[in-house]
């Protein structure tokens, strides 16, 4: 079954040039210069029930805008959106009870109260029956292992703990479709992994349709089989993650930090293709399968290695590759 | 009927949550109340000085004037709210978006939130105003005329509703402009002036009093206080209730229009 159907969707923002100073503000009460930003340009895709899709793109690509249209916050300028058979911008209650949106940048928890209070408020808003609420809550609390923080003021929780609670608040009404807008943003590596593991598990167990946006390859790589890449408001890739990696991201980045007096370029060149170089920090581009071996080789050499980080390539890099291959 | 109970429960759950939130800030709430008591005392001192040897200003003896200030502030403590800035913040920060996707209207949500939020402050204000009244127990004029009190009660309830709607409407200005704090402070002063909170309105020209009787503000302070002192008669009080009801309907209508236009803009600009 197709849960989400997007056809030729576009969105243009109107905004106003900000005038400087008091006089400017006063003038702008009467006349303001209107400007337009095309955030999403004629995109189409469809998503089947139970899929977990990665919506990947650099900052400003149009990911949030798309999710806002899917959840009915924004009306499309052009084109059509259908989610679960509903048109989101009509804001029908039956639709609203069937999806949830979690934004890494915006919180819905009541900050001055323990998270449990927001859960109870949401129970009323979504009209969840008592028994169902208790069951869902218990299940989610166990899944996330947050029993011991339910009674602590949200403000006093770590960012990772807060995100867990945000997710619980959004899942209490058992949404069929879940939109996650950069849920791992600002989190430390361990917390990121926690959240990812949860999303994966939740999708597998509940068969919830999930769109997850990110500007990290890392996020998507672990979770999604299918990715959609958006850049400057246009979809430039929609397909299997494996294919994407094979074709456009065959490398990993190996960032090596040297201490002492650093190194000379000639000393490190033999370890692989150099992406960036200075005597103290050097980044290699290595094949996925080679990354570990290269790291071992570096460590066992007599170079003054202080630290090695193996990372995914930048999304901007992938986008560039896709473009050059297409043109 | 079941539907109604359901709605009520929704409402009360939100009220309760925000009541608790207020409790976590009880110290701040307390400090504000001390400020209010100070303000009332300064007003009383000031009027005592102005009266000097004079018997009567604007038809009120000093004792009546002090009662006016005390009882007026008591009513005002029940009536006022701080809804505008809450709404403005939701709009400016784009938090409104998170409400637009929920199966509950923003209006109902924010009203229950505000009632929960202010109930503690209101209780403490009522308590502190009562304390000040007790402090002036010998000066304060006690008068328990049940018919008057009933009219006053109805007036205070209607004034509470009218003020909520008015604050909601003012809060919606944030759809059109970012800088609202100064504007709200100014509007608050104007409201207080027209309500008779600084001094009884009948010190001003008669035309002015007539105008303010047609506006909703006087019913939050001046009119109920004058009713208590029996400086205006019951028929004026009843006419006042009618004017209040008309204002509530008008405000509700304006809110609907402004909300829809504001939302259009919010969606266009896409905060
Ligand atoms: N409210 C707005 N007014 C004007 N332009 C906006 C607004 N919101 C986003 N944009 C612009 O639209 C584009 C897409 O933004 P967004 O959807 O937030 O991107 P992403 O979530 O992928 O980072 C960006 O160029 C951004 O500057
Ligand atoms: Mg975004």
């Amino acid at each position: 079954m197709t849960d989400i159907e997007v056809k030729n969707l576009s969105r243009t923002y109107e905004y106003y040039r900000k005038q400087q100073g008091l006089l400017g503000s006063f003038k702008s009460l009467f006349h303001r210069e209107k400007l337009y930003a095309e955030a999403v340009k004629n995109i189409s895709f469809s998503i089947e029930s139970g899929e977990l899709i990665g919506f990947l793109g650099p900052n400003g690509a149009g990911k949030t805008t798309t999710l806002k249209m899917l959840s009915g916050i924004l009306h499309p300028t052009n084109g059509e959106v259908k989610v679960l058979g509903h048109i989101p911008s009509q804001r029908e209650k039956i639709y609203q009870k069937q999806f949830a949106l979690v934004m890494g940048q915006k919180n819905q928890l009541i900050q001055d109260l323990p998270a449990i209070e927001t859960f109870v408020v949401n129970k009323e808003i979504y009209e969840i029956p008592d028994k169902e609420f208790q069951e869902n809550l218990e299940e989610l609390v166990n899944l996330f292992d947050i029993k011991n923080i339910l009674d602590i003021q949200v403000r006093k929780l770590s960012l990772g703990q807060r995100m867990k609670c945000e997710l619980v608040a959004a899942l209490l009404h058992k949404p069929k479709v879940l939109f996650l807008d950069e849920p791992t943003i600002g989190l430390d590596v361990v917390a990121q992994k926690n959240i990812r593991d949860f999303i994966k598990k939740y999708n597998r167990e509940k068969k919830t349709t999930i769109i997850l946006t990110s500007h990290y390859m890392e996020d998507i790589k672990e979770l999604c089989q299918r990715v959609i890449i958006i850049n400057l408001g246009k979809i430039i890739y929609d397909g299997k993650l494996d294919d994407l990696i094979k074709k456009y991201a065959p490398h990993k980045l190996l960032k090596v930090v040297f201490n002492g007096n650093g190194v000379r370029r000639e000393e490190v060149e033999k370890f692989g293709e150099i992406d960036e170089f200075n005597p103290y920090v050097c980044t290699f581009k290595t094949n996925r399968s080679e990354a570990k071996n290269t790291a071992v080789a570096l460590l066992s050499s007599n170079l003054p290695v202080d630290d090695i980080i193996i990372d995914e390539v930048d999304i901007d890099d992938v986008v560039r590759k896709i473009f050059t291959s297409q043109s | 009927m079941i539907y109604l109970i359901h709605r009520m429960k929704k409402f009360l759950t939100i009220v309760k949550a925000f009541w608790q939130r207020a409790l976590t800030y009880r110290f701040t709430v307390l400090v504000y109340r001390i400020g209010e008591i100070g303000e009332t005392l300064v007003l009383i001192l000031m009027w005592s000085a102005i009266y000097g040897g004079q018997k009567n200003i604007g038809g009120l003896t000093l004792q009546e004037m002090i009662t006016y200030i005390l009882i007026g502030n008591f009513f005002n403590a029940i009536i006022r709210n701080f809804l505008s800035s809450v709404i403005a913040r939701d709009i400016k920060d784009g938090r409104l978006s998170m409400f637009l996707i929920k199966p509950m209207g923003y209006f109902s949500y924010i009203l229950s939130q505000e009632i929960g939020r202010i109930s503690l402050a209101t209780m403490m204000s009522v308590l502190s105003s009562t304390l000040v009244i007790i402090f002036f127990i010998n000066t304060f004029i006690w008068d328990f005329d049940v018919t008057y009190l009933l009219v006053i009660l109805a007036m205070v309830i209607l004034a509470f509703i009218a003020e909520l709607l008015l604050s909601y409407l003012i809060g919606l200005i944030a759809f059109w402009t970012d800088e609202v704090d100064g504007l709200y402070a100014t509007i608050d002063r104007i409201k207080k002036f027209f309500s008779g909170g600084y001094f009884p309105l009948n010190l001003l020209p008669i035309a002015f009093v007539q105008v303010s009787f047609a506006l909703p503000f006087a019913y939050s302070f001046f009119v109920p206080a004058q009713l208590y002192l029996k400086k205006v008669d019951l028929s004026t009080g009843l006419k006042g209730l009618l004017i209040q009801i008309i204002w509530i309907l008008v405000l509700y209508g304006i809110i609907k229009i402004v909300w829809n236009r504001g939302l259009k803009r919010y969606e266009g600009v896409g905060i």
Side-chain angles (χ1 to χ4, degrees), chain B:
Chain B
M1 190 60 201
I2 291 181
Y3 173 74
L4 219 79
I5 293 175
H6 230 84
R7 282 207 67 143
M8 210 51 208
K9 197 168 154 245
K10 231 181 202 188
F11 183 80
L12 287 179
T13 307
I14 299 169
V15 168
K16 194 177 134 245
F18 282 89
W19 205 84
Q20 284 173 9
R21 181 184 171 279
L23 268 177
T24 61
Y25 287 103
R26 49 194 175 260
F27 185 69
T28 315
V29 175
L30 190 71
V31 171
Y32 269 104
R33 299 300 84 78
I34 291 170
E36 279 167 18
I37 293 179
E39 208 178 80
T40 311
L41 292 181
V42 167
L43 266 180
I44 290 173
L45 278 177
M46 193 190 79
W47 279 109
S48 304
I50 293 174
Y51 269 80
Q54 253 172 304
K55 274 236 151 47
N56 189 311
I57 296 181
L60 297 177
T61 64
L62 177 60
Q63 199 191 6
E64 284 170 335
M65 181 62 85
I66 290 174
T67 307
Y68 173 86
I69 292 166
L70 291 172
I71 197 78
N73 274 307
F74 176 78
F75 295 146
N76 205 252
I78 302 171
I79 290 163
R80 75 192 159 154
N81 66 74
F82 310 91
L83 196 54
S84 305
S85 49
V86 178
I87 292 170
R89 215 170 323 123
D90 280 352
I91 294 174
K92 274 194 298 185
D93 302 349
R95 256 172 58 85
L96 180 60
S97 303
M98 294 316 267
F99 292 102
L100 295 180
I101 60 170
K102 289 194 172 158
M104 181 182 195
Y106 180 65
F107 188 65
S108 341
Y109 182 85
I110 205 75
L111 283 191
S112 8
Q113 168 179 336
E114 182 64 4
I115 288 170
R117 214 170 70 94
I118 61 172
S119 49
L120 180 74
T122 305
M123 270 164 45
M124 286 173 77
S125 282
V126 168
L127 202 73
S128 63
S129 321
T130 314
L131 282 178
V132 181
I133 290 177
I134 290 171
F135 186 73
F136 285 93
I137 196 151
N138 291 322
T139 321
F140 191 80
I141 301 166
W142 297 94
D143 188 347
F144 293 117
D145 185 326
V146 180
T147 26
Y148 272 82
L149 287 184
L150 281 177
V151 174
I152 291 172
L153 181 69
M155 187 166 286
V156 169
I157 291 171
L158 288 175
F160 177 78
I161 298 170
E163 286 269 343
L164 265 183
L165 293 177
L166 196 66
S167 300
Y168 190 82
L169 185 60
I170 294 167
L172 295 183
I173 295 174
F175 275 130
W176 287 272
T177 170
D178 285 341
E179 291 138 272
V180 285
D181 293 339
L183 190 65
Y184 291 169
T186 308
I187 291 176
D188 266 349
R189 297 237 160 72
I190 295 173
K191 261 164 59 180
K192 187 154 185 187
F193 178 80
F194 274 96
S195 76
Y198 292 118
F199 53 84
L201 293 174
N202 50 6
L203 293 181
L204 297 166
I206 184 76
F208 185 87
V209 180
Q210 271 159 358
V211 169
S212 46
F213 268 64
L215 296 173
F217 315 110
Y219 301 98
S220 307
F221 198 118
F222 179 69
V223 183
Q226 291 286 84
L227 268 171
Y228 182 81
L229 290 170
K230 295 196 171 155
K231 294 287 164 182
V232 294
D233 53 17
L234 270 180
S235 70
T236 315
L238 290 173
K239 214 170 87 191
L241 296 183
L242 191 70
I243 294 173
Q244 282 184 292
I245 291 171
I246 292 171
W247 267 109
I248 287 172
L249 295 176
V250 168
L251 283 169
Y252 187 76
I254 298 176
I255 284 173
K256 283 227 133 154
I257 297 168
V258 171
W259 168 258
N260 284 332
R261 296 200 57 162
L263 203 57
K264 269 241 173 67
R265 194 185 136 87
Y266 183 84
E267 285 158 355
V269 175
I271 299 163

Side-chain angles (χ1 to χ4, degrees), chain A residues 228-247:
Chain A
I228 295 177
I229 298 187
I230 184 169
N231 184 48
L232 301 173
K234 286 190 182 139
I235 289 180
I236 55 170
Y237 182 89
D238 180 351
K240 283 224 176 83
L241 177 75
D242 290 343
D243 294 345
L244 176 84
I245 287 182
K246 248 182 256 155
K247 258 170 112 174

Side-chain angles (χ1 to χ4, degrees), chain A residues 61-240:
Chain A
K63 304 181 294 291
T64 303
T65 306
T66 307
L67 287 197
K68 280 183 173 173
M69 287 191 281
L70 289 175
S71 48
I73 295 172
L74 291 175
H75 292 254
T77 315
N78 258 311
E80 275 174 51
V81 186
K82 262 211 171 140
V83 186
L84 300 170
H86 298 277
I87 297 170
S89 56
Q90 290 180 347
R91 300 199 186 125
E92 295 163 287
K93 280 195 180 179
I94 28 169
Y95 172 55
Q96 294 182 323
K97 285 187 183 177
Q98 295 183 75
F99 84 93
L101 166 70
V102 176
M103 293 184 160
Q105 309 270 38
K106 261 187 202 122
N107 35 46
Q108 66 153 324
L109 298 171
I110 306 166
Q111 298 294 306
D112 309 311
L113 291 179
I116 186 78
E117 294 302 328
T118 305
F119 300 163
V120 173
V121 167
N122 271 10
K123 169 186 181 299
E124 296 304 326
I125 291 179
Y126 285 94
E127 297 170 335
I128 309 166
D130 290 343
K131 193 160 160 281
E132 200 184 319
F133 174 76
Q134 286 305 335
E135 285 169 9
N136 292 355
L137 183 62
E138 200 178 308
E139 190 183 356
L140 289 166
V141 165
N142 288 333
L143 258 173
F144 259 138
D145 192 20
I146 52 166
K147 204 172 200 90
N148 51 340
I149 58 166
L150 285 183
D151 296 324
I152 301 174
Q153 225 188 9
V154 170
R155 185 178 290 301
K156 293 184 181 142
L157 300 176
S158 73
L159 281 179
Q161 290 171 325
R162 258 186 251 184
M163 185 40 73
K164 286 181 179 177
C165 293
E166 289 281 350
L167 282 166
V168 172
L171 295 173
L172 283 170
H173 63 286
K174 287 199 174 153
K176 289 196 185 123
V177 175
L178 177 61
F179 304 124
L180 299 172
D181 193 21
E182 313 224 14
T184 57
I185 205 161
L187 302 186
D188 61 68
V189 184
V190 178
Q192 283 188 11
K193 175 134 180 53
N194 267 328
I195 300 282
R196 270 184 226 132
D197 288 347
F198 172 81
I199 294 169
K200 195 167 184 175
K201 204 162 158 191
Y202 190 83
N203 168 259
R204 209 183 306 135
E205 282 178 19
K206 303 282 178 212
K207 303 280 175 277
T208 309
T209 312
I210 301 179
I211 298 186
L212 170 85
T213 81
S214 182
H215 63 274
Y216 277 136
M217 283 288 288
E218 195 77 35
D219 263 339
I220 306 292
K221 191 189 71 183
E222 280 185 28
L223 293 178
C224 313
Q225 307 201 327
R226 178 177 159 201
V227 271
I228 295 177
I229 298 187
I230 184 169
N231 184 48
L232 301 173
K234 286 190 182 139
I235 289 180
I236 55 170
Y237 182 89
D238 180 351
K240 283 224 176 83

